[in-house]
Amino acid sequence: MNIDFNKNEDHLKLLLSEVKSKLNVIHKGGGDKKIAKQHDQGKLTARERIRFLLDEKKPQIEIGAFAGYEMYEEHGGCPSGGVVVVLGYIKGKMCLVVANDATVKAGAWFPITGKKNLRAQEIALENHIPIIYLVDSAGVYLPMQDEIFPDKEHFGRIFRNNAILSSKGITQIAAIMGSCVAGGAYLPIMSDEALIVDKTGSIFLAGSYLVKAAIGEDIDNETLGGATTHCEISGVTDYKSKDDKDALNSIKNIVDKIGDFDKAGFNRIKAKAPAKDPKEIYGLMPKDGAKPYKTREIIDRLIDDSEFEEYKAGYGRTIITGYARIDGWAVGIVANNRELLRTKKGETQFGGVIYSDSADKASRFIANCNQKKIPLVFLQDVTGFMVGSRSEHGGIIKDGAKMVNTMSNSVVPKFTVIMGNSFGAGNYAMCGKAYDPRLIVAWPNSKLAVMGGAQAAKVLLQIEKSRLKAQGKEITPEDEKKLLDDIHARYEKQMKPEYAAARLWTDAIIDPLDTRKWISMGIEMANHAPIEKAFNPGVLQT
């Protein structure tokens, strides 16, 4: 291996180590004291509940672990958005589990908590997989109620989704394992079946203090809305459990009886490991994200037997398209080629840039995959579309629009992996978050922004200088340099994968070696939902 390979490997492994270190802190939720308090109440933590519920020897992936990272610090923070979401298996059946973390502000809902819960329901709805709610929440976080309560994508949307999921026959099971108050009480009761844990679980529209204030009635919370009340008097809940583990075992037994599902029918054969060592990805991805590299070498380390049937290999070469298998599943891959290329006319084409011919090729390939019912995998390392008079006169806007159009109207499931840069309209064309990938993940070296940091800092500097000049202020060269450095540092922070993952622009920051697992579980998940809509790219200009 050469020196660059070793430097690249050290850099990416260091970034991965930093991500894992941050996750170790995030996984502690509200911290050791809050975890101990949860245990003193006879309750398991959210992560302990999920660990007990899911099949131990089956794979699992966590959605949105970084949600809320470095957000709401003036409120004490909100690790993982105060809710843990994991895709795994219960009695061999793929399920999505959503568990409130009561160690974080008593499981109260911050704005990001609502967004994360909606993301979980979206996954269940798109893929027709059972969703399990483990409820332990104090309800809306009142100091931020205006950002979580009234809008379309706020708290109320959760209950609307409960109803839609139910209408589509998608199983929802809820276990009330702690507090469940006010509007939040509707979530478990709008599920198909509801369990409640004796003495620790409670559910009511208003607690005892509010009841006293509102109507003057003296009553304790257990009599008002505990397990005995709701299982024997009101009939609101269906099962009474003696403790957390008893409730979780009941869920296992219920899920075990669920019948088989109609399948989408995606092609799968026996899986093979890549012929080329996936660990070499660490050294192949350059430390400097602007440097060229051979994307095909990365693809070879992600696909079964490193066997790739490339489509239009000699045309539109800044995008690589082709058929392969990942963990046995047939996939169509659309990847940004990061090589520095020469055309037959001797002209240079920059890797990671989408040209007219590559956009045209990608459009045709996406259409082919839809015709053949093959899931799509987008491997992003894109700086955007080619600019300049030659590109504009050649119709880059039309070809780019065609690619976006075809990708947007695709009916096969799409999965997006941000391997490096994800800038500007390139993010859109390569199936960014706005284009409904079933899952979207980022590697630790990824950068997500409207443009690169150096370019953006210069643009923002000019805007700031103009503003100060309008105020009659002069800027010295020293002031200008400090201003540029400050802008660049702020912008670079916003480009980091943690910043994107905190806001759920991506579902996770993953080890490149876990890419195959994420895509495989994603396609298995999508296979639960037969394709009911015909592919129609709309007004597709040719």
Side-chain angles (χ1 to χ4, degrees), residues 1 5 9 13 273-285 296-303 305-306 512-513 516:
M1 298 297 175
F5 184 97
E9 183 177 37
K13 284 185 174 179
K276 296 184 179 179
D277 188 357
K279 291 179 182 177
E280 292 175 355
I281 291 174
Y282 296 134
L284 292 169
M285 290 299 297
R296 179 63 196 272
E297 292 291 329
I298 304 297
I299 293 172
D300 284 345
R301 286 156 178 82
L302 294 175
I303 62 177
D305 206 27
S306 303
L513 302 189
R516 283 170 54 85

Side-chain angles (χ1 to χ4, degrees), residues 211-287:
V211 168
K212 174 68 174 175
I215 63 173
E217 181 183 1
D218 281 310
I219 191 168
D220 63 88
N221 282 339
E222 183 64 26
T223 306
L224 182 66
T228 298
T229 294
H230 286 310
C231 286
E232 299 177 19
I233 299 173
S234 72
V236 166
T237 51
D238 307 308
Y239 305 90
K240 181 178 179 181
S241 305
K242 64 180 181 180
D243 56 26
D244 279 10
K245 289 185 177 180
D246 186 36
L248 296 169
N249 278 325
S250 293
I251 292 172
K252 291 181 183 183
N253 291 332
I254 295 167
V255 171
D256 189 41
K257 311 300 187 298
I258 296 174
D260 202 2
F261 57 91
D262 295 332
K263 297 173 179 62
F266 302 124
N267 185 298
R268 191 181 197 185
I269 62 173
K270 185 177 180 182
K272 293 181 181 179
K276 296 184 179 179
D277 188 357
K279 291 179 182 177
E280 292 175 355
I281 291 174
Y282 296 134
L284 292 169
M285 290 299 297
K287 179 179 177 180

